[in-house]
mmCIF file of all heavy atoms in Angstrom:
data_model
loop_
_atom_site.group_PDB
_atom_site.id
_atom_site.type_symbol
_atom_site.label_atom_id
_atom_site.label_comp_id
_atom_site.label_asym_id
_atom_site.label_seq_id
_atom_site.Cartn_x
_atom_site.Cartn_y
_atom_site.Cartn_z
ATOM 1 N N ASN A 17 0.067 -3.567 5.880
ATOM 2 C CA ASN A 17 0.887 -4.227 6.894
ATOM 3 C C ASN A 17 0.176 -4.341 8.236
ATOM 4 O O ASN A 17 0.033 -5.438 8.781
ATOM 5 C CB ASN A 17 2.209 -3.484 7.079
ATOM 6 C CG ASN A 17 3.113 -4.137 8.108
ATOM 7 O OD1 ASN A 17 3.374 -5.341 8.041
ATOM 8 N ND2 ASN A 17 3.594 -3.366 9.063
ATOM 9 N N CYS A 18 -0.318 -3.197 8.770
ATOM 10 C CA CYS A 18 -0.890 -3.225 10.120
ATOM 11 C C CYS A 18 -2.416 -3.123 10.136
ATOM 12 O O CYS A 18 -3.041 -3.308 11.183
ATOM 13 C CB CYS A 18 -0.289 -2.113 10.979
ATOM 14 S SG CYS A 18 -0.777 -0.433 10.482
ATOM 15 N N GLY A 19 -3.026 -2.797 8.996
ATOM 16 C CA GLY A 19 -4.485 -2.745 8.921
ATOM 17 C C GLY A 19 -5.097 -1.438 9.389
ATOM 18 O O GLY A 19 -6.326 -1.305 9.406
ATOM 19 N N LYS A 20 -4.285 -0.458 9.775
ATOM 20 C CA LYS A 20 -4.818 0.840 10.207
ATOM 21 C C LYS A 20 -5.519 1.532 9.044
ATOM 22 O O LYS A 20 -5.086 1.453 7.903
ATOM 23 C CB LYS A 20 -3.681 1.741 10.724
ATOM 24 C CG LYS A 20 -4.158 3.108 11.213
ATOM 25 C CD LYS A 20 -3.004 4.084 11.393
ATOM 26 C CE LYS A 20 -2.644 4.809 10.109
ATOM 27 N NZ LYS A 20 -3.652 5.822 9.707
ATOM 28 N N GLU A 21 -6.603 2.235 9.341
ATOM 29 C CA GLU A 21 -7.270 2.993 8.288
ATOM 30 C C GLU A 21 -6.358 4.130 7.826
ATOM 31 O O GLU A 21 -5.823 4.900 8.625
ATOM 32 C CB GLU A 21 -8.599 3.563 8.779
ATOM 33 C CG GLU A 21 -9.329 4.341 7.696
ATOM 34 C CD GLU A 21 -10.693 4.846 8.142
ATOM 35 O OE1 GLU A 21 -11.094 4.557 9.293
ATOM 36 O OE2 GLU A 21 -11.354 5.518 7.325
ATOM 37 N N LEU A 22 -6.182 4.249 6.512
ATOM 38 C CA LEU A 22 -5.348 5.302 5.940
ATOM 39 C C LEU A 22 -6.179 6.556 5.738
ATOM 40 O O LEU A 22 -7.293 6.505 5.220
ATOM 41 C CB LEU A 22 -4.769 4.843 4.600
ATOM 42 C CG LEU A 22 -3.794 3.666 4.652
ATOM 43 C CD1 LEU A 22 -3.482 3.176 3.241
ATOM 44 C CD2 LEU A 22 -2.502 4.053 5.381
ATOM 45 N N THR A 23 -5.631 7.677 6.156
ATOM 46 C CA THR A 23 -6.344 8.947 6.017
ATOM 47 C C THR A 23 -6.132 9.525 4.612
ATOM 48 O O THR A 23 -5.235 9.109 3.872
ATOM 49 C CB THR A 23 -5.827 9.966 7.046
ATOM 50 O OG1 THR A 23 -4.451 10.275 6.749
ATOM 51 C CG2 THR A 23 -5.923 9.413 8.457
ATOM 52 N N ASN A 24 -6.964 10.504 4.276
ATOM 53 C CA ASN A 24 -6.794 11.203 3.000
ATOM 54 C C ASN A 24 -5.419 11.856 2.920
ATOM 55 O O ASN A 24 -4.788 11.882 1.862
ATOM 56 C CB ASN A 24 -7.880 12.266 2.812
ATOM 57 C CG ASN A 24 -9.252 11.651 2.631
ATOM 58 O OD1 ASN A 24 -9.381 10.472 2.293
ATOM 59 N ND2 ASN A 24 -10.284 12.431 2.866
ATOM 60 N N LYS A 25 -4.959 12.386 4.039
ATOM 61 C CA LYS A 25 -3.653 13.047 4.081
ATOM 62 C C LYS A 25 -2.537 12.059 3.803
ATOM 63 O O LYS A 25 -1.579 12.359 3.083
ATOM 64 C CB LYS A 25 -3.443 13.701 5.447
ATOM 65 C CG LYS A 25 -2.361 14.773 5.467
ATOM 66 C CD LYS A 25 -2.810 15.998 4.701
ATOM 67 C CE LYS A 25 -1.811 17.131 4.838
ATOM 68 N NZ LYS A 25 -2.211 18.320 4.061
ATOM 69 N N GLU A 26 -2.649 10.867 4.342
ATOM 70 C CA GLU A 26 -1.631 9.844 4.105
ATOM 71 C C GLU A 26 -1.592 9.439 2.639
ATOM 72 O O GLU A 26 -0.524 9.200 2.073
ATOM 73 C CB GLU A 26 -1.893 8.620 4.989
ATOM 74 C CG GLU A 26 -1.499 8.820 6.443
ATOM 75 C CD GLU A 26 -1.951 7.681 7.329
ATOM 76 O OE1 GLU A 26 -3.148 7.309 7.276
ATOM 77 O OE2 GLU A 26 -1.116 7.146 8.074
ATOM 78 N N ARG A 27 -2.753 9.369 2.010
ATOM 79 C CA ARG A 27 -2.795 9.021 0.582
ATOM 80 C C ARG A 27 -2.239 10.147 -0.273
ATOM 81 O O ARG A 27 -1.681 9.915 -1.342
ATOM 82 C CB ARG A 27 -4.226 8.708 0.146
ATOM 83 C CG ARG A 27 -4.736 7.367 0.628
ATOM 84 C CD ARG A 27 -6.018 6.985 -0.074
ATOM 85 N NE ARG A 27 -7.118 7.875 0.258
ATOM 86 C CZ ARG A 27 -7.969 8.372 -0.628
ATOM 87 N NH1 ARG A 27 -7.833 8.123 -1.916
ATOM 88 N NH2 ARG A 27 -8.970 9.159 -0.235
ATOM 89 N N GLN A 28 -2.397 11.368 0.206
ATOM 90 C CA GLN A 28 -1.959 12.531 -0.568
ATOM 91 C C GLN A 28 -0.452 12.750 -0.488
ATOM 92 O O GLN A 28 0.187 13.111 -1.474
ATOM 93 C CB GLN A 28 -2.691 13.778 -0.073
ATOM 94 C CG GLN A 28 -2.415 15.031 -0.886
ATOM 95 C CD GLN A 28 -3.217 16.208 -0.376
ATOM 96 O OE1 GLN A 28 -3.836 16.140 0.687
ATOM 97 N NE2 GLN A 28 -3.212 17.286 -1.124
ATOM 98 N N LEU A 29 0.113 12.530 0.690
ATOM 99 C CA LEU A 29 1.536 12.795 0.901
ATOM 100 C C LEU A 29 2.347 11.554 0.526
ATOM 101 O O LEU A 29 2.428 10.596 1.279
ATOM 102 C CB LEU A 29 1.796 13.176 2.362
ATOM 103 C CG LEU A 29 1.114 14.463 2.846
ATOM 104 C CD1 LEU A 29 1.400 14.692 4.321
ATOM 105 C CD2 LEU A 29 1.587 15.660 2.026
ATOM 106 N N GLY A 30 2.928 11.588 -0.640
ATOM 107 C CA GLY A 30 3.707 10.443 -1.096
ATOM 108 C C GLY A 30 4.797 10.870 -2.053
ATOM 109 O O GLY A 30 5.148 12.042 -2.141
ATOM 110 N N ARG A 31 5.335 9.916 -2.762
ATOM 111 C CA ARG A 31 6.388 10.208 -3.733
ATOM 112 C C ARG A 31 6.334 9.175 -4.857
ATOM 113 O O ARG A 31 5.935 8.025 -4.652
ATOM 114 C CB ARG A 31 7.760 10.170 -3.066
ATOM 115 C CG ARG A 31 8.137 8.802 -2.478
ATOM 116 C CD ARG A 31 9.575 8.771 -1.988
ATOM 117 N NE ARG A 31 9.926 7.471 -1.409
ATOM 118 C CZ ARG A 31 11.137 6.927 -1.537
ATOM 119 N NH1 ARG A 31 12.089 7.532 -2.223
ATOM 120 N NH2 ARG A 31 11.399 5.757 -0.974
ATOM 121 N N TRP A 32 6.725 9.620 -6.048
ATOM 122 C CA TRP A 32 6.825 8.696 -7.173
ATOM 123 C C TRP A 32 8.113 7.888 -7.032
ATOM 124 O O TRP A 32 9.186 8.451 -6.822
ATOM 125 C CB TRP A 32 6.850 9.455 -8.495
ATOM 126 C CG TRP A 32 5.528 10.042 -8.880
ATOM 127 C CD1 TRP A 32 5.190 11.358 -8.909
ATOM 128 C CD2 TRP A 32 4.371 9.321 -9.318
ATOM 129 N NE1 TRP A 32 3.882 11.509 -9.315
ATOM 130 C CE2 TRP A 32 3.363 10.275 -9.580
ATOM 131 C CE3 TRP A 32 4.080 7.969 -9.501
ATOM 132 C CZ2 TRP A 32 2.094 9.916 -10.029
ATOM 133 C CZ3 TRP A 32 2.808 7.617 -9.949
ATOM 134 C CH2 TRP A 32 1.844 8.574 -10.202
ATOM 135 N N LYS A 33 7.992 6.579 -7.151
ATOM 136 C CA LYS A 33 9.141 5.703 -6.972
ATOM 137 C C LYS A 33 9.102 4.599 -8.032
ATOM 138 O O LYS A 33 8.091 3.914 -8.177
ATOM 139 C CB LYS A 33 9.084 5.095 -5.564
ATOM 140 C CG LYS A 33 10.266 4.215 -5.201
ATOM 141 C CD LYS A 33 10.092 3.720 -3.761
ATOM 142 C CE LYS A 33 11.176 2.747 -3.366
ATOM 143 N NZ LYS A 33 10.992 2.253 -1.967
ATOM 144 N N PRO A 34 10.187 4.420 -8.802
ATOM 145 C CA PRO A 34 10.178 3.388 -9.842
ATOM 146 C C PRO A 34 10.171 1.985 -9.249
ATOM 147 O O PRO A 34 10.869 1.711 -8.267
ATOM 148 C CB PRO A 34 11.463 3.660 -10.627
ATOM 149 C CG PRO A 34 12.348 4.399 -9.682
ATOM 150 C CD PRO A 34 11.444 5.193 -8.793
ATOM 151 N N THR A 35 9.369 1.118 -9.839
ATOM 152 C CA THR A 35 9.356 -0.291 -9.434
ATOM 153 C C THR A 35 10.091 -1.156 -10.449
ATOM 154 O O THR A 35 10.235 -2.363 -10.252
ATOM 155 C CB THR A 35 7.908 -0.803 -9.283
ATOM 156 O OG1 THR A 35 7.225 -0.677 -10.540
ATOM 157 C CG2 THR A 35 7.155 -0.001 -8.222
ATOM 158 N N ASN A 36 10.539 -0.533 -11.535
ATOM 159 C CA ASN A 36 11.307 -1.223 -12.576
ATOM 160 C C ASN A 36 12.459 -0.294 -12.980
ATOM 161 O O ASN A 36 12.511 0.199 -14.108
ATOM 162 C CB ASN A 36 10.400 -1.532 -13.774
ATOM 163 C CG ASN A 36 11.066 -2.407 -14.819
ATOM 164 O OD1 ASN A 36 11.892 -3.266 -14.496
ATOM 165 N ND2 ASN A 36 10.720 -2.197 -16.075
ATOM 166 N N PRO A 37 13.373 -0.012 -12.046
ATOM 167 C CA PRO A 37 14.377 1.038 -12.250
ATOM 168 C C PRO A 37 15.368 0.723 -13.367
ATOM 169 O O PRO A 37 15.523 -0.421 -13.787
ATOM 170 C CB PRO A 37 15.080 1.109 -10.889
ATOM 171 C CG PRO A 37 14.872 -0.237 -10.278
ATOM 172 C CD PRO A 37 13.531 -0.698 -10.744
ATOM 173 N N GLY A 38 16.014 1.812 -13.834
ATOM 174 C CA GLY A 38 17.067 1.654 -14.821
ATOM 175 C C GLY A 38 16.615 1.725 -16.262
ATOM 176 O O GLY A 38 17.405 1.458 -17.169
ATOM 177 N N LYS A 39 15.349 2.099 -16.501
ATOM 178 C CA LYS A 39 14.819 2.163 -17.864
ATOM 179 C C LYS A 39 14.880 3.597 -18.399
ATOM 180 O O LYS A 39 14.812 4.560 -17.642
ATOM 181 C CB LYS A 39 13.372 1.669 -17.898
ATOM 182 C CG LYS A 39 13.186 0.251 -17.375
ATOM 183 C CD LYS A 39 13.906 -0.754 -18.253
ATOM 184 C CE LYS A 39 13.678 -2.183 -17.765
ATOM 185 N NZ LYS A 39 14.351 -3.176 -18.631
ATOM 186 N N GLU A 40 15.002 3.733 -19.714
ATOM 187 C CA GLU A 40 15.062 5.060 -20.327
ATOM 188 C C GLU A 40 13.696 5.741 -20.347
ATOM 189 O O GLU A 40 13.604 6.963 -20.325
ATOM 190 C CB GLU A 40 15.603 4.956 -21.751
ATOM 191 C CG GLU A 40 17.072 4.561 -21.826
ATOM 192 C CD GLU A 40 17.615 4.603 -23.239
ATOM 193 O OE1 GLU A 40 16.815 4.874 -24.171
ATOM 194 O OE2 GLU A 40 18.815 4.368 -23.424
ATOM 195 N N ILE A 41 12.626 4.961 -20.404
ATOM 196 C CA ILE A 41 11.271 5.522 -20.468
ATOM 197 C C ILE A 41 10.754 5.774 -19.058
ATOM 198 O O ILE A 41 10.828 4.909 -18.185
ATOM 199 C CB ILE A 41 10.311 4.576 -21.218
ATOM 200 C CG1 ILE A 41 10.783 4.385 -22.658
ATOM 201 C CG2 ILE A 41 8.881 5.112 -21.195
ATOM 202 C CD1 ILE A 41 9.979 3.354 -23.436
#
């Protein structure tokens, strides 16, 4: 979005989020 360099910490701190929600698998 803004072009700022992403740090290692930013890449590490995240969460799993479904992009195709509502599936059994």
Side-chain angles (χ1 to χ4, degrees):
N17 181 51
C18 69
K20 181 194 86 72
E21 181 177 358
L22 295 171
T23 65
N24 292 341
K25 199 70 174 178
E26 284 172 309
R27 286 192 294 136
Q28 185 178 10
L29 297 177
R31 62 173 179 144
W32 287 110
K33 183 178 175 181
T35 60
N36 188 33
K39 302 296 182 179
E40 292 186 356
I41 298 174

